[in-house]
Amino acid sequence: MSRDNFDMTTKETLAKRVGFRCSNPNCRKLTSGPQIDSAGSINIGVAAHISAASLGGPRYDSQLTSEERKSIDNGIWLCQNCAKLIDNDSVLYSSDILLEWKHLSEKAALLEIQNNGVINLVDDREIIKFFAQCFDRPAFQDPFDQEGSMENFDKAIEDTITAINTGALRARDGGVLQKSKGKAYLSNPLWRRKMDAIGDLLRALRERYELAVRTNDIHLGSTSDERQFYCINDRQLGAWFDLTRAEILKIFSEICGEAGISSEFQFPRHRRFWRDR
Ligand SMILES: [Zn+2]
């Protein structure tokens, strides 16, 4: 079966247009780095096809010509994990979603390059107020051992990562609750870096949660309504989750304070959370 593969120039341009970062807004992993050999480099990036390179592949579009299929417009730069992810569920990861990822990543790369030190406080404040709404939910306010449902907690963290990266906060049914702009649009480089740090901490929360479920440090039981029975078998783990969220809110409070919107968005709102601990 014939495959419409990208040529080397197309692959390289796709990578360069997103600063060699994975285009999945929930990932944004760097895909290149140095080998020990000073002449070599490591590449964990893939020029993935939006519409499959051959018949029967994910999102295959028979309307495309062979030229269109191997053109740069049909490519997206991803890390190896995300390239595999999008091909495992071509319904969830539709062509439209992938084109949105590509657009956002290119925009983010351009903003990073263009940033010329001009700070637009008015626009930055709007973005920060949007982020504040994302943190104003139980997943960031309740102590870990009082969470109603672990799976909802994990989903809320995932939604927050997406919201910070894309400016779209999704409801549980997948609908978009509010549309703002992602952290790449912050003109203040310090706030952008702080939001990057928050993004890293959020990802660490999700990774630790997934690992804990796999190793049974968190045992998930049955679910009824919004409640889910679960058991945390590692006390230190619960404390780490609480501390990490407190750290996230602390960094975010700093941004709010520096942006002069601390009176509106003071974290944490639930003082009980801090006094008891
Ligand atoms: Zn990735």
Side-chain angles (χ1 to χ4, degrees):
M1 195 186 297
S2 73
R3 277 185 61 88
D4 292 316
N5 292 324
F6 300 125
D7 62 27
M8 278 312 291
T9 316
T10 302
K11 289 182 188 176
E12 208 180 304
T13 309
L14 279 170
K16 284 180 175 170
R17 284 179 64 89
V18 291
F20 290 91
R21 285 187 184 278
C22 173
S23 300
N24 176 351
N26 287 328
C27 177
R28 303 289 289 138
K29 190 187 272 179
L30 204 58
T31 61
S32 68
Q35 265 183 3
I36 293 205
D37 173 355
S38 65
S41 62
I42 291 169
N43 173 48
I44 58 154
V46 178
H49 280 76
I50 293 174
S51 177
S54 57
L55 183 67
R59 296 168 297 275
Y60 183 78
D61 180 357
S62 59
Q63 303 290 314
L64 297 183
T65 64
S66 170
E67 279 312 308
E68 286 170 329
R69 214 167 275 128
K70 55 182 144 184
S71 85
I72 195 159
D73 292 331
N74 190 38
I76 179 170
W77 189 254
L78 295 168
C79 75
Q80 287 167 345
N81 279 341
C82 293
K84 203 156 172 31
L85 179 74
I86 64 157
D87 285 351
N88 274 327
D89 191 339
S90 55
V91 179
L92 182 61
Y93 302 106
S94 64
S95 296
D96 285 347
I97 293 274
L98 299 184
L99 286 169
E100 192 188 338
W101 285 6
K102 184 178 179 179
H103 173 72
L104 283 166
S105 289
E106 292 185 348
K107 187 89 186 164
L110 186 62
L111 278 164
E112 245 179 88
I113 286 177
Q114 276 179 337
N115 193 280
N116 51 8
V118 176
I119 291 174
N120 183 335
L121 185 59
V122 176
D123 287 358
D124 279 5
R125 272 191 185 140
E126 285 311 305
I127 298 173
I128 291 164
K129 282 180 186 173
F130 165 72
F131 292 159
Q133 288 186 316
C134 302
F135 289 120
D136 185 20
R137 40 164 66 188
F140 290 97
Q141 306 287 347
D142 294 345
F144 197 67
D145 55 14
Q146 291 172 25
E147 293 291 344
S149 156
M150 279 294 114
E151 277 162 12
N152 286 348
F153 166 78
D154 182 49
K155 188 79 181 57
I157 301 290
E158 184 189 12
D159 288 345
T160 307
I161 295 172
T162 305
I164 288 173
N165 285 325
T166 66
L169 183 60
R170 274 173 228 283
R172 210 163 285 161
D173 63 5
V176 174
L177 284 181
Q178 176 154 6
K179 192 94 182 156
S180 174
K181 284 175 175 173
K183 63 180 163 63
Y185 287 83
L186 287 169
S187 64
N188 183 324
L190 177 64
W191 294 345
R192 224 167 38 229
R193 283 185 60 195
K194 284 183 175 178
M195 288 310 299
D196 284 343
I198 286 174
D200 288 344
L201 289 170
L202 287 168
R203 270 197 297 276
L205 278 177
R206 287 205 71 207
E207 272 167 33
R208 188 64 191 95
Y209 169 79
E210 281 162 22
L211 185 66
V213 170
R214 208 172 305 145
T215 56
N216 221 26
D217 284 331
I218 295 175
H219 176 75
L220 297 181
S222 57
T223 307
S224 65
D225 302 324
E226 286 296 282
R227 304 290 298 180
Q228 178 182 36
F229 296 99
Y230 62 88
C231 175
I232 303 168
N233 299 320
D234 178 346
R235 277 180 59 93
Q236 282 181 325
L237 184 63
W240 180 82
F241 271 95
D242 285 344
L243 273 173
T244 305
R245 284 183 301 172
E247 184 64 20
I248 288 170
L249 294 182
K250 191 181 88 185
I251 298 171
F252 188 69
S253 312
E254 284 171 15
I255 299 176
C256 287
E258 286 156 10
I261 49 178
S262 51
S263 56
E264 274 177 84
F265 299 105
Q266 190 69 56
F267 285 104
R269 289 209 181 132
H270 299 204
R271 304 198 64 85
R272 172 178 58 85
F273 172 66
W274 301 78
R275 254 205 319 268
D276 292 352
R277 261 138 220 281

